[in-house]
Amino acid sequence: MKLIIRWLLLACALVLLTQLDPGIQVRSFGSALWAAFVIGLLNAFVRPLLIVLTLPVTVLSMGLFLFVINALTFQMASGLLDGFHVQGFWHALLGSVLYSVCSLVIDVALERVMGPRMMQPPQ
């Protein structure tokens, strides 16, 4: 249940991003749902691979290159979907940072409202 609520709230966050940044466009709430799903998949599978492949650059930049990786995955989701469009790298960078902040806020709020995850051992 928590996963579905998180997914819906992240889709709402994408719709909110369209109001904050004109370079990010979402055609409908259904498109936002698909975009949130694809961004989640890319963050789960492609992003770790990109982090490993660019580890020397990330270390040399003291971790700042992770912002570039986040922007690339955000823009990659835009390229995979018709109803979600990001106009350029800078909009993808801003969008990925704001989306990450929204994700953090959503995770903390859900943790407080719905309690800890079921997989954690009791204390």
Side-chain angles (χ1 to χ4, degrees):
M1 187 66 162
K2 189 188 277 190
L3 182 65
I4 294 172
I5 293 171
R6 183 178 188 274
W7 180 38
L8 291 170
L9 290 174
L10 286 173
C12 291
L14 277 177
V15 172
L16 175 67
L17 286 180
T18 64
Q19 301 302 312
L20 299 174
D21 186 357
I24 301 172
Q25 297 149 1
V26 177
R27 187 179 309 149
S28 65
F29 188 71
S31 297
L33 283 171
W34 277 111
F37 180 74
V38 169
I39 290 170
L41 286 178
L42 290 173
N43 282 337
F45 297 108
V46 176
R47 186 174 177 267
L49 181 65
L50 289 175
I51 289 172
V52 168
L53 292 174
T54 61
L55 192 59
V57 176
T58 303
V59 170
L60 287 174
S61 70
M62 293 181 286
L64 292 176
F65 195 72
L66 291 174
F67 287 110
V68 174
I69 292 173
N70 287 343
L72 291 175
T73 56
F74 199 76
Q75 199 162 22
M76 195 181 305
S78 167
L80 294 173
L81 299 168
D82 286 333
F84 176 58
H85 181 69
V86 180
Q87 286 185 356
F89 174 77
W90 294 110
H91 292 287
L93 182 65
L94 178 63
S96 67
V97 168
L98 293 176
Y99 188 74
S100 295
V101 169
C102 289
S103 177
L104 178 68
V105 169
I106 289 168
D107 287 343
V108 169
L110 284 177
E111 190 72 23
R112 288 191 179 183
V113 171
M114 300 185 92
R117 294 183 184 154
M118 299 300 291
M119 299 300 288
Q120 292 178 347
Q123 295 179 0

